[in-house]
């Protein structure tokens, strides 16, 4: 790595720690052998793919990881931002970056051919990389497989009263599901569904997706909602292995369609100083090697058709994703937030 880009990475990390105002004097770095990424994704999830890209192309990937504030940082940096790409999860976060005006359109034959239209922004401002199914986890001991809910709508059935655990209704994963319910059924029916789901909760919404499975293992509830990849991650964790062993995954349908899915994705920044390398990385990550790595290492579903899934994913069952365009879900997020407040879901 050249001295200038060491400074870039250090400056980026320092700025994230001390606040976005510290980057006002940074200058964009252009290096024919490098590309700069701002990422909300955890390092262990994406670094293997970046390393494979470097081995394949010789282009080094510099990454600034953060938990929040990247869009605000990009806005303050303006045209002097060193960032070429944003990586994150959830359609809401990708859409927020687009609406903030910090992204730029990209269109190549590989990207538009590989990524289904439902999983990319219409003008190329963001692209999905992996699918993340929001599934039901059901107790092996207390929910016979022939009684498990076959749809998200069934979660509002009184037969589940006091038997469901979920995380906060304001979390981005739950909001996306509620927005999808609005898209399929309209706001009035979605509100009735959310009220029914709330009335069936075994406890006040709390914790993350894995905490809900832990609660099933401890007998606090019988079913929960969570993203599919946590099943694999729990099986790899000594402490959580027993939690995963106490449940089985269910792939419910929404609106008579397929299972609700969200994405991890990427977007080119408006200020990208290394645009050519950024496009190379975007295309690499939609290639067979990277897509298979996402599946085998992260237990996320390849977004490119025909790429083999990891054995664990195949063993969990067949995913038939809802084809509702994620643009539609993003547009309804504000309405979903309002519904969560209106029904007092978290109270």
């Amino acid at each position: 790595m050249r001295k200038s880009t060491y400074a870039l990475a250090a400056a980026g990390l320092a700025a994230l720690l001390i606040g976005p105002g510290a980057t006002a004097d940074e200058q964009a770095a252009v290096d024919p052998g490098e590309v700069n990424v701002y990422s909300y994704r955890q390092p262990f999830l994406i670094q293997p793919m970046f390393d494979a890209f470097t081995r394949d192309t010789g282009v080094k990937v510099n990454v600034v990881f953060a938990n929040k504030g990247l869009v605000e940082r990009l806005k303050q940096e303006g045209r002097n931002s060193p960032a070429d790409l944003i990586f994150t999860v959830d359609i809401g976060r990708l859409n927020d970056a687009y609406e903030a005006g910090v992204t730029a359109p990209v269109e190549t034959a590989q990207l538009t051919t590989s990524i289904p239209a439902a999983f990319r922004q219409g003008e190329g401002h963001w692209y999905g990389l992996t699918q993340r199914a929001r599934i039901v986890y059901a107790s092996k001991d207390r929910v016979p497989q022939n009684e498990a809910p076959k749809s998200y709508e069934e979660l509002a059935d009184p037969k589940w009263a006091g038997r469901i655990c979920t995380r906060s209704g304001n979390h981005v994963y739950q909001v996306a599901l509620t927005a999808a319910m609005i898209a399929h059924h309209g706001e009035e029916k979605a509100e009735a569904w959310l009220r029914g789901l709330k009335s069936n909760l075994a406890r006040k919404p709390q914790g993350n997706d894995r905490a809900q499975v832990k609660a099933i293992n401890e007998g606090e509830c019988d079913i929960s909602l969570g993203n599919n990849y946590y099943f694999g991650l729990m099986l790899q964790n000594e402490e959580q292995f027993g939690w995963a062993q106490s449940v089985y995954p269910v792939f419910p349908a929404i609106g008579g369609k397929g299972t609700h899915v969200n994405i991890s994705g990427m977007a080119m920044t408006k200020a990208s100083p290394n645009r050519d390398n950024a496009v190379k990385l975007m295309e690499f990550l939609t290639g067979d090697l990277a897509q298979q790595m996402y599946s085998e290492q992260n237990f996320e579903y390849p977004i490119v058709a025909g790429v083999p899934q990891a054995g664990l994913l195949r063993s969990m069952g067949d995913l038939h994703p809802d084809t509702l365009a994620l643009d539609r879900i993003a547009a309804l997020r504000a309405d979903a937030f309002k519904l969560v407040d209106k029904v007092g879901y978290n109270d």
Side-chain angles (χ1 to χ4, degrees), residues 274-290:
N274 303 293
R275 185 180 172 90
D276 289 346
N277 288 341
V279 171
K280 285 182 184 176
L281 179 55
M282 294 175 81
E283 292 186 336
F284 178 84
L285 294 175
T286 59
D288 288 357
L289 174 62

